[in-house]
Amino acid sequence: MSKIGFIGLGIMGKPMSLNLLKAGHSLVVYDINQAAVEEVKQAGAEVGSSPKDVASKAKIIITMLPNSPQVKAVVLGANGVMEGAEKGSLVVDMSSIAPLVSREVAEALAVKGIRMLDAPVSGGQPKAIDGTMSIMVGGAQADFDEMVPIFKVLGGSYVLTGGIGAGNVTKLANQIIVAVNIAAVSEALVMATKAGVDPELVYKAIRGGLAGSTVLDAKAPLMMDRKFNPGFRINLHIKDLANVLETSHGIGVPLPLTAGVMEILQALKVDGLGECDHGAIVKFYEKLAQIEVKRTEA
Ligand code: NAD
């Protein structure tokens, strides 16, 4: 198995890189956070001195960074991946970024004969840890096929949804559904609680019906347990919805529900909750209704 470069060892990138090491791949890694680098080094990875250095040592380079500006800087910037990568290398950006930026980066890399896939994920930290993320991929079929053995280590599903940028369009669709769904769960549980019905019993009663969802199962228990540590941070969801709204407005698609949830997230950020899990959307409704969603004491 050839060496894989991995850049961005955060909440998602660290467990993903550890899973690749466990599966027997050799890795060369880089992050500006030295503590994260040290942890992955202890697990057996080689450490690169820059994105350029990583790219010069690996034919496949995975990036898992916060957003478009970081991906552009790491791939196209000074001492970046493009400077170090050979012709024929494959850059696989697994960050959630604007689809137009994926296309821009891919076009710049293509000038040097470097291939690219955009391959954002969903599932959050728990699925990154157990290697069962959903991976949404844009790019060429042959490049996707080459990555399948690696996607199998990281994900429970991996689907090529179109050309470059299609992975991130799919991820934006995913983020609309998740955001609006968490807001709906929050509205429902706040209403039930203030009406004097135990939210836990409401959850148990409805989860098997049409109102049931992966979001309901993942977030309702955390809301009732008052657990708002991330998970997926409100600030990151704001980033994704900004990418959603910019993309949708650019192509003439009004998104009134998404825009509404975006303003809820902005209000929570102003309240100092930007680093909380997006399940803290419930706190916005709790403030309006002057009630807290929690399990009734036994
Ligand atoms: P994170 O902030 O925890 O990790 C990002 C990492 O990138 C950090 O370790 C940071 O030090 C590093 N980094 C930033 N700038 C860098 C640079 N210039 N050079 C090298 N390293 C740099 O974020 P995360 O939660 O791991 O998310 C990563 C991506 O995955 C984001 O696009 C996010 O939207 C997406 N995502 C996150 C989740 C989740 O639940 N956390 C779920 C699905 C998708």
Side-chain angles (χ1 to χ4, degrees):
M1 283 189 280
S2 61
K3 193 176 284 180
I4 301 169
F6 204 111
I7 302 171
L9 306 170
I11 289 181
M12 300 296 283
K14 190 163 60 182
M16 289 163 67
S17 56
L18 294 175
N19 282 339
L20 289 169
L21 287 168
K22 257 186 246 153
H25 292 279
S26 35
L27 289 195
V28 49
V29 301
Y30 178 77
D31 194 295
I32 48 177
N33 175 356
Q34 287 315 310
V37 170
E38 195 51 40
E39 205 176 313
V40 183
K41 182 182 171 192
Q42 291 300 323
E46 184 185 339
V47 177
S49 57
S50 66
K52 176 181 175 179
D53 185 43
V54 166
S56 70
K57 291 175 173 154
K59 291 284 273 181
I60 292 173
I61 304 109
I62 297 174
T63 48
M64 194 54 168
L65 296 158
N67 196 11
S68 309
Q70 291 81 12
V71 171
K72 273 173 105 168
V74 164
V75 178
L76 305 180
N79 271 321
V81 168
M82 186 162 161
E83 285 184 12
E86 283 172 24
K87 185 172 185 228
S89 294
L90 177 59
V91 173
V92 183
D93 179 35
M94 302 191 76
S95 331
S96 305
I97 71 169
L100 283 178
V101 174
S102 298
R103 289 182 193 137
E104 199 184 315
V105 173
E107 273 167 29
L109 289 173
V111 172
K112 213 182 147 184
I114 302 164
R115 300 169 292 145
M116 177 168 161
L117 294 171
D118 63 314
V121 305
S122 85
Q125 189 187 28
K127 291 192 175 230
I129 291 171
D130 61 20
T132 57
M133 303 184 302
S134 301
I135 309 175
M136 305 150 237
V137 191
Q141 182 74 52
D143 299 339
F144 174 82
D145 293 344
E146 190 178 326
M147 279 300 289
V148 163
I150 293 170
F151 288 152
K152 272 195 175 138
V153 174
L154 301 174
S157 76
Y158 34 91
V159 179
L160 182 68
T161 59
I164 189 79
N168 272 304
V169 170
T170 310
K171 173 69 184 182
L172 295 184
N174 182 83
Q175 293 306 78
I176 293 172
I177 293 170
V178 172
V180 174
N181 206 337
I182 296 176
V185 167
S186 301
E187 286 195 5
L189 294 184
V190 166
M191 185 281 295
T193 305
K194 191 137 188 188
V197 181
D198 182 350
E200 182 161 29
L201 297 178
V202 173
Y203 165 57
K204 278 188 185 152
I206 67 176
R207 63 185 292 257
L210 197 52
S213 68
T214 307
V215 163
L216 180 71
D217 283 336
K219 299 300 176 188
L222 295 179
M223 289 172 184
M224 292 185 288
D225 288 338
R226 314 307 295 163
K227 287 190 180 151
F228 299 113
N229 54 314
F232 190 71
R233 294 195 302 271
I234 282 178
N235 283 336
L236 275 182
H237 218 139
I238 287 177
K239 176 265 294 187
D240 285 340
L241 295 192
N243 285 336
V244 166
L245 294 170
E246 192 188 342
T247 304
S248 64
H249 294 161
I251 55 175
V253 181
L255 297 176
L257 291 178
T258 304
V261 180
M262 175 61 139
E263 294 310 307
I264 292 172
L265 293 174
Q266 298 288 347
L268 291 165
K269 185 180 175 182
V270 173
D271 261 353
L273 301 177
E275 292 300 303
C276 290
D277 187 71
H278 52 176
I281 285 176
V282 74
K283 290 193 172 199
F284 174 84
Y285 291 99
E286 289 175 341
K287 201 170 172 183
L288 295 181
Q290 296 290 300
I291 191 100
E292 200 166 89
V293 172
K294 54 183 178 210
R295 298 175 205 275
T296 304
E297 301 297 327

PDB file of all heavy atoms in Angstrom, residues 165-186:
ATOM      1  N   GLY A 165     -17.029  19.028  -7.444  1.00  0.00           N
ATOM      2  CA  GLY A 165     -17.976  19.967  -6.821  1.00  0.00           C
ATOM      3  C   GLY A 165     -19.284  19.288  -6.428  1.00  0.00           C
ATOM      4  O   GLY A 165     -19.979  19.760  -5.532  1.00  0.00           O
ATOM      5  N   ALA A 166     -19.598  18.152  -7.084  1.00  0.00           N
ATOM      6  CA  ALA A 166     -20.875  17.477  -6.781  1.00  0.00           C
ATOM      7  C   ALA A 166     -20.891  16.913  -5.361  1.00  0.00           C
ATOM      8  O   ALA A 166     -21.952  16.838  -4.725  1.00  0.00           O
ATOM      9  CB  ALA A 166     -21.138  16.363  -7.790  1.00  0.00           C
ATOM     10  N   GLY A 167     -19.722  16.525  -4.860  1.00  0.00           N
ATOM     11  CA  GLY A 167     -19.659  16.032  -3.479  1.00  0.00           C
ATOM     12  C   GLY A 167     -20.098  17.123  -2.515  1.00  0.00           C
ATOM     13  O   GLY A 167     -20.909  16.893  -1.606  1.00  0.00           O
ATOM     14  N   ASN A 168     -19.593  18.336  -2.727  1.00  0.00           N
ATOM     15  CA  ASN A 168     -19.951  19.432  -1.821  1.00  0.00           C
ATOM     16  C   ASN A 168     -21.376  19.939  -2.035  1.00  0.00           C
ATOM     17  O   ASN A 168     -22.004  20.408  -1.081  1.00  0.00           O
ATOM     18  CB  ASN A 168     -18.923  20.566  -1.921  1.00  0.00           C
ATOM     19  CG  ASN A 168     -17.778  20.330  -0.942  1.00  0.00           C
ATOM     20  OD1 ASN A 168     -18.003  20.185   0.261  1.00  0.00           O
ATOM     21  ND2 ASN A 168     -16.560  20.244  -1.458  1.00  0.00           N
ATOM     22  N   VAL A 169     -21.904  19.843  -3.262  1.00  0.00           N
ATOM     23  CA  VAL A 169     -23.331  20.176  -3.463  1.00  0.00           C
ATOM     24  C   VAL A 169     -24.171  19.194  -2.635  1.00  0.00           C
ATOM     25  O   VAL A 169     -25.133  19.586  -1.940  1.00  0.00           O
ATOM     26  CB  VAL A 169     -23.721  20.105  -4.958  1.00  0.00           C
ATOM     27  CG1 VAL A 169     -25.237  20.201  -5.123  1.00  0.00           C
ATOM     28  CG2 VAL A 169     -23.024  21.208  -5.758  1.00  0.00           C
ATOM     29  N   THR A 170     -23.807  17.913  -2.677  1.00  0.00           N
ATOM     30  CA  THR A 170     -24.534  16.887  -1.914  1.00  0.00           C
ATOM     31  C   THR A 170     -24.446  17.173  -0.416  1.00  0.00           C
ATOM     32  O   THR A 170     -25.433  17.060   0.317  1.00  0.00           O
ATOM     33  CB  THR A 170     -23.959  15.490  -2.236  1.00  0.00           C
ATOM     34  OG1 THR A 170     -23.903  15.340  -3.656  1.00  0.00           O
ATOM     35  CG2 THR A 170     -24.803  14.386  -1.632  1.00  0.00           C
ATOM     36  N   LYS A 171     -23.257  17.572   0.024  1.00  0.00           N
ATOM     37  CA  LYS A 171     -23.062  17.882   1.445  1.00  0.00           C
ATOM     38  C   LYS A 171     -23.920  19.089   1.864  1.00  0.00           C
ATOM     39  O   LYS A 171     -24.488  19.115   2.950  1.00  0.00           O
ATOM     40  CB  LYS A 171     -21.579  18.160   1.709  1.00  0.00           C
ATOM     41  CG  LYS A 171     -21.252  18.657   3.100  1.00  0.00           C
ATOM     42  CD  LYS A 171     -21.437  17.607   4.178  1.00  0.00           C
ATOM     43  CE  LYS A 171     -21.195  18.201   5.564  1.00  0.00           C
ATOM     44  NZ  LYS A 171     -21.317  17.247   6.643  1.00  0.00           N
ATOM     45  N   LEU A 172     -24.040  20.080   0.979  1.00  0.00           N
ATOM     46  CA  LEU A 172     -24.895  21.240   1.296  1.00  0.00           C
ATOM     47  C   LEU A 172     -26.346  20.786   1.467  1.00  0.00           C
ATOM     48  O   LEU A 172     -27.042  21.235   2.384  1.00  0.00           O
ATOM     49  CB  LEU A 172     -24.781  22.318   0.216  1.00  0.00           C
ATOM     50  CG  LEU A 172     -23.406  22.992   0.053  1.00  0.00           C
ATOM     51  CD1 LEU A 172     -23.472  24.107  -0.991  1.00  0.00           C
ATOM     52  CD2 LEU A 172     -22.879  23.548   1.372  1.00  0.00           C
ATOM     53  N   ALA A 173     -26.791  19.883   0.587  1.00  0.00           N
ATOM     54  CA  ALA A 173     -28.159  19.345   0.709  1.00  0.00           C
ATOM     55  C   ALA A 173     -28.310  18.644   2.062  1.00  0.00           C
ATOM     56  O   ALA A 173     -29.310  18.822   2.775  1.00  0.00           O
ATOM     57  CB  ALA A 173     -28.439  18.368  -0.437  1.00  0.00           C
ATOM     58  N   ASN A 174     -27.301  17.883   2.433  1.00  0.00           N
ATOM     59  CA  ASN A 174     -27.289  17.185   3.727  1.00  0.00           C
ATOM     60  C   ASN A 174     -27.409  18.179   4.889  1.00  0.00           C
ATOM     61  O   ASN A 174     -28.191  17.985   5.831  1.00  0.00           O
ATOM     62  CB  ASN A 174     -25.968  16.402   3.824  1.00  0.00           C
ATOM     63  CG  ASN A 174     -25.844  15.593   5.087  1.00  0.00           C
ATOM     64  OD1 ASN A 174     -26.348  14.485   5.175  1.00  0.00           O
ATOM     65  ND2 ASN A 174     -25.169  16.136   6.093  1.00  0.00           N
ATOM     66  N   GLN A 175     -26.666  19.277   4.797  1.00  0.00           N
ATOM     67  CA  GLN A 175     -26.637  20.247   5.899  1.00  0.00           C
ATOM     68  C   GLN A 175     -27.946  21.026   6.016  1.00  0.00           C
ATOM     69  O   GLN A 175     -28.322  21.437   7.110  1.00  0.00           O
ATOM     70  CB  GLN A 175     -25.448  21.209   5.743  1.00  0.00           C
ATOM     71  CG  GLN A 175     -24.095  20.533   5.919  1.00  0.00           C
ATOM     72  CD  GLN A 175     -23.983  19.772   7.225  1.00  0.00           C
ATOM     73  OE1 GLN A 175     -24.516  18.660   7.335  1.00  0.00           O
ATOM     74  NE2 GLN A 175     -23.344  20.343   8.216  1.00  0.00           N
ATOM     75  N   ILE A 176     -28.646  21.220   4.896  1.00  0.00           N
ATOM     76  CA  ILE A 176     -29.982  21.837   4.953  1.00  0.00           C
ATOM     77  C   ILE A 176     -30.902  20.920   5.764  1.00  0.00           C
ATOM     78  O   ILE A 176     -31.599  21.354   6.691  1.00  0.00           O
ATOM     79  CB  ILE A 176     -30.582  22.026   3.533  1.00  0.00           C
ATOM     80  CG1 ILE A 176     -29.798  23.061   2.735  1.00  0.00           C
ATOM     81  CG2 ILE A 176     -32.063  22.405   3.619  1.00  0.00           C
ATOM     82  CD1 ILE A 176     -30.216  23.163   1.261  1.00  0.00           C
ATOM     83  N   ILE A 177     -30.899  19.636   5.406  1.00  0.00           N
ATOM     84  CA  ILE A 177     -31.820  18.685   6.062  1.00  0.00           C
ATOM     85  C   ILE A 177     -31.507  18.573   7.555  1.00  0.00           C
ATOM     86  O   ILE A 177     -32.410  18.593   8.396  1.00  0.00           O
ATOM     87  CB  ILE A 177     -31.754  17.309   5.361  1.00  0.00           C
ATOM     88  CG1 ILE A 177     -32.313  17.432   3.930  1.00  0.00           C
ATOM     89  CG2 ILE A 177     -32.521  16.244   6.157  1.00  0.00           C
ATOM     90  CD1 ILE A 177     -32.080  16.209   3.052  1.00  0.00           C
ATOM     91  N   VAL A 178     -30.227  18.508   7.895  1.00  0.00           N
ATOM     92  CA  VAL A 178     -29.851  18.368   9.309  1.00  0.00           C
ATOM     93  C   VAL A 178     -30.254  19.621  10.095  1.00  0.00           C
ATOM     94  O   VAL A 178     -30.860  19.523  11.172  1.00  0.00           O
ATOM     95  CB  VAL A 178     -28.336  18.084   9.449  1.00  0.00           C
ATOM     96  CG1 VAL A 178     -27.904  18.143  10.909  1.00  0.00           C
ATOM     97  CG2 VAL A 178     -27.992  16.721   8.853  1.00  0.00           C
ATOM     98  N   ALA A 179     -29.957  20.814   9.556  1.00  0.00           N
ATOM     99  CA  ALA A 179     -30.227  22.054  10.292  1.00  0.00           C
ATOM    100  C   ALA A 179     -31.733  22.237  10.534  1.00  0.00           C
ATOM    101  O   ALA A 179     -32.167  22.524  11.659  1.00  0.00           O
ATOM    102  CB  ALA A 179     -29.680  23.251   9.509  1.00  0.00           C
ATOM    103  N   VAL A 180     -32.507  22.053   9.475  1.00  0.00           N
ATOM    104  CA  VAL A 180     -33.953  22.278   9.597  1.00  0.00           C
ATOM    105  C   VAL A 180     -34.562  21.201  10.506  1.00  0.00           C
ATOM    106  O   VAL A 180     -35.472  21.482  11.295  1.00  0.00           O
ATOM    107  CB  VAL A 180     -34.608  22.313   8.195  1.00  0.00           C
ATOM    108  CG1 VAL A 180     -36.125  22.398   8.294  1.00  0.00           C
ATOM    109  CG2 VAL A 180     -34.069  23.502   7.390  1.00  0.00           C
ATOM    110  N   ASN A 181     -34.032  19.990  10.420  1.00  0.00           N
ATOM    111  CA  ASN A 181     -34.518  18.893  11.251  1.00  0.00           C
ATOM    112  C   ASN A 181     -34.239  19.141  12.741  1.00  0.00           C
ATOM    113  O   ASN A 181     -35.109  18.921  13.599  1.00  0.00           O
ATOM    114  CB  ASN A 181     -33.827  17.599  10.777  1.00  0.00           C
ATOM    115  CG  ASN A 181     -34.631  16.351  11.057  1.00  0.00           C
ATOM    116  OD1 ASN A 181     -35.474  16.322  11.943  1.00  0.00           O
ATOM    117  ND2 ASN A 181     -34.349  15.297  10.322  1.00  0.00           N
ATOM    118  N   ILE A 182     -33.043  19.642  13.067  1.00  0.00           N
ATOM    119  CA  ILE A 182     -32.741  19.925  14.486  1.00  0.00           C
ATOM    120  C   ILE A 182     -33.668  21.033  14.989  1.00  0.00           C
ATOM    121  O   ILE A 182     -34.170  20.972  16.130  1.00  0.00           O
ATOM    122  CB  ILE A 182     -31.262  20.333  14.694  1.00  0.00           C
ATOM    123  CG1 ILE A 182     -30.327  19.187  14.343  1.00  0.00           C
ATOM    124  CG2 ILE A 182     -31.028  20.746  16.160  1.00  0.00           C
ATOM    125  CD1 ILE A 182     -28.844  19.539  14.439  1.00  0.00           C
ATOM    126  N   ALA A 183     -33.918  22.034  14.148  1.00  0.00           N
ATOM    127  CA  ALA A 183     -34.823  23.118  14.564  1.00  0.00           C
ATOM    128  C   ALA A 183     -36.230  22.572  14.799  1.00  0.00           C
ATOM    129  O   ALA A 183     -36.895  22.940  15.778  1.00  0.00           O
ATOM    130  CB  ALA A 183     -34.827  24.226  13.514  1.00  0.00           C
ATOM    131  N   ALA A 184     -36.679  21.665  13.939  1.00  0.00           N
ATOM    132  CA  ALA A 184     -38.027  21.088  14.100  1.00  0.00           C
ATOM    133  C   ALA A 184     -38.105  20.254  15.383  1.00  0.00           C
ATOM    134  O   ALA A 184     -39.091  20.345  16.136  1.00  0.00           O
ATOM    135  CB  ALA A 184     -38.377  20.228  12.877  1.00  0.00           C
ATOM    136  N   VAL A 185     -37.056  19.464  15.646  1.00  0.00           N
ATOM    137  CA  VAL A 185     -37.020  18.664  16.882  1.00  0.00           C
ATOM    138  C   VAL A 185     -37.066  19.601  18.092  1.00  0.00           C
ATOM    139  O   VAL A 185     -37.793  19.354  19.071  1.00  0.00           O
ATOM    140  CB  VAL A 185     -35.744  17.780  16.914  1.00  0.00           C
ATOM    141  CG1 VAL A 185     -35.515  17.183  18.301  1.00  0.00           C
ATOM    142  CG2 VAL A 185     -35.833  16.671  15.860  1.00  0.00           C
ATOM    143  N   SER A 186     -36.326  20.701  18.021  1.00  0.00           N
ATOM    144  CA  SER A 186     -36.280  21.661  19.130  1.00  0.00           C
ATOM    145  C   SER A 186     -37.654  22.281  19.372  1.00  0.00           C
ATOM    146  O   SER A 186     -38.128  22.347  20.516  1.00  0.00           O
ATOM    147  CB  SER A 186     -35.278  22.783  18.818  1.00  0.00           C
ATOM    148  OG  SER A 186     -34.002  22.254  18.613  1.00  0.00           O
TER     149      SER A 186
END
